Amino acid sequence: MLSVSDAEAIILNLVQPLDDQRDTEVVDLLAADSRILARPITSSLDFPHWDNSAMDGYAARYEDVQHSSTEKPAVLEIVEEIPAGYQPKSTIQTGQAARIFTGAVLPAGADTIVMQEKTRQEDKRVFILDAPKPQEFVRHKAAFYQAGTQLLPAGIKLNAPEIAVLAAAQCSQLRVYRRPRVAIFSTGDELLAIDQPLQPGQIVDSNQYAIAALVRQTGAEPLILGIVKDDPVALEMSITHAIAIADLVISSGGVSVGDYDYVDKILESLQAKIHIRAVQITPGKPLTVATFPTQNSALYFGLPGNPAAVLVTFWRFVLPAIKKLSGISEGWGPVFLKVRSHDELRSHGQRETYLWGKLHLIDGVHEFHKAGGSHSSGNLINLAQTNALAVLPIGKTLISPQEEVLVLQLSNG
Ligand code: AMP
Ligand code: MG
C-alpha cells in the first residue's frame, strides 16, 4: 500500500495545470480577488512616480541646513506651499525652502525634507532647529519599482496587497485563470437528499455539501451532480458525464472492498488508469485516483464515504491537486506546524493517523486540542470547528500531553 507522501507525489505529478493561454479569462480588478494571475504584469510607471516627501515639513537644500541646531538655526525663506497633488512651480535656491506635505512632489533644487516637528515657522520664514540627514524623508522616483521590470509574476493568488499594486499600476482589467470545474457526486443506496423524509436505514448525503464547500473555498467551481445509487449502470453514466464536464471529479463512497463498492470496477470498464487504490492513512485508506488516457485530461478522486475520511483526504490530497490545477505556481502542499499537544493522542500505529481538533494560541505558543468524542471516521459531529489535524506517523502509537506533534493547519480555521 502507498505511503501518504508517495500518494501525494503521484497525485501532484498527475495534475496538469490549466493552460495559460486557453484556460484564461479577463476580469475587472474589483472581481479579481482570490483569482490566479495568468500573465506577468509589467508597468510603464515608476513607483514612486516622482521624487516626493515622506513627511509634512519643509523641502530645502541640504547644504543650507546641514549645520542647523536649536542654538544656531538656519533661517530659510518660504517661497511656495506644495500640498499633495500639486505640481511645484519654483526652483528652490540657496536660502529658500518650500512648505511641503506628505506625498507632495519635491520641488526642483530641494534635496532634503526637514520634518515639521524640527522647525518653527514665523510668517514667510522657517527656522530649522535640527540638522537633517542628507536626502532625509525624500522618497525617490523609482525607488520602489522601476518601470518596465516585472511588477507581479504569473501564477500568484490575488489578495488585497496584489490588488492594491494592480490598482496603483492602473490595471483595471486583467487576465486570470478560469476557475477549475470540479464535479461532485455521492454514491450509496443509503443516501437521502437533504429535504426528503428520513426512512429507517437512510442518512442524509452530507458529503456533497461538505465537498461543495471545500471546493468553493479553493476558488474552484463545484458542479453538483447529486446522489448516485450503488448501481453499475447509474454509476457508469455519472462518471462518464462527470469527466466530460469537469477538470476534476470527486465522488464519495463505493471505493472500499464491499459488495456494493463499484467505483473501481466501473473506472476499469471505462478504461481509466487507476494510479492509487489505497493509501496508508487513517481515516481514508480506500482512496482511488484515476485518469482517463483515452478520453480527456480529467483527474478522478474516489474518496471513501465516511465523512471524516472525506474531509481528511480532501485536505491532504485533493486540495493540493486543485491548487496546482488552478494555475498557482508553487506552494500546493499542506502547511505543517510543530506544536505542543494539549491532549494524549493515540493511534494503532499501522497507518499515518490524522486526528482532528483545534489549534489554540496559549501564551504565544500553538497548542493542539483534540476534538472531544469519538475519532471514528463515521463520526461527523465532532468535526465541527476543526482547524487543524494532528499527524501521527506510522509506528507512533502515543503522543503524551505536552509532547510535540506535527499538525496540518487548515486555512479555513
Ligand atoms: P462507503 O465508502 O460507500 O462504504 O461508505 C462508508 C460509510 O460512509 C457509509 O456507510 C455511510 O455511513 C457513510 N457515507 C457514505 N456516503 C456518504 C455521504 N454522501 N454522506 C454522508 N455519509 C456517507
Ligand atoms: Mg457505499
Side-chain angles (χ1 to χ4, degrees), residues 243-278:
I243 62 171
I245 60 169
D247 305 295
L248 194 143
V249 178
I250 307 172
S251 66
S252 69
V255 288
S256 195
V257 293
D259 291 349
Y260 299 94
D261 293 332
Y262 292 120
V263 170
D264 284 16
K265 295 182 197 88
I266 303 301
L267 289 171
E268 277 160 5
S269 76
L270 290 169
Q271 281 158 14
K273 184 163 169 34
I274 300 185
H275 303 269
I276 297 175
R277 292 175 191 270

Side-chain angles (χ1 to χ4, degrees), residues 196-250:
Q196 299 300 305
L198 201 60
Q199 304 297 329
Q202 295 184 320
I203 55 169
V204 173
D205 167 21
S206 60
N207 287 346
Q208 183 110 226
Y209 287 84
I211 297 169
L214 290 164
V215 166
R216 211 170 272 121
Q217 281 168 12
T218 69
E221 180 191 356
L223 308 171
I224 297 169
L225 304 184
I227 299 168
V228 183
K229 291 279 180 203
D230 287 321
D231 164 59
V233 176
L235 256 177
E236 183 177 325
M237 272 177 54
S238 297
I239 294 175
T240 306
H241 176 56
I243 62 171
I245 60 169
D247 305 295
L248 194 143
V249 178
I250 307 172

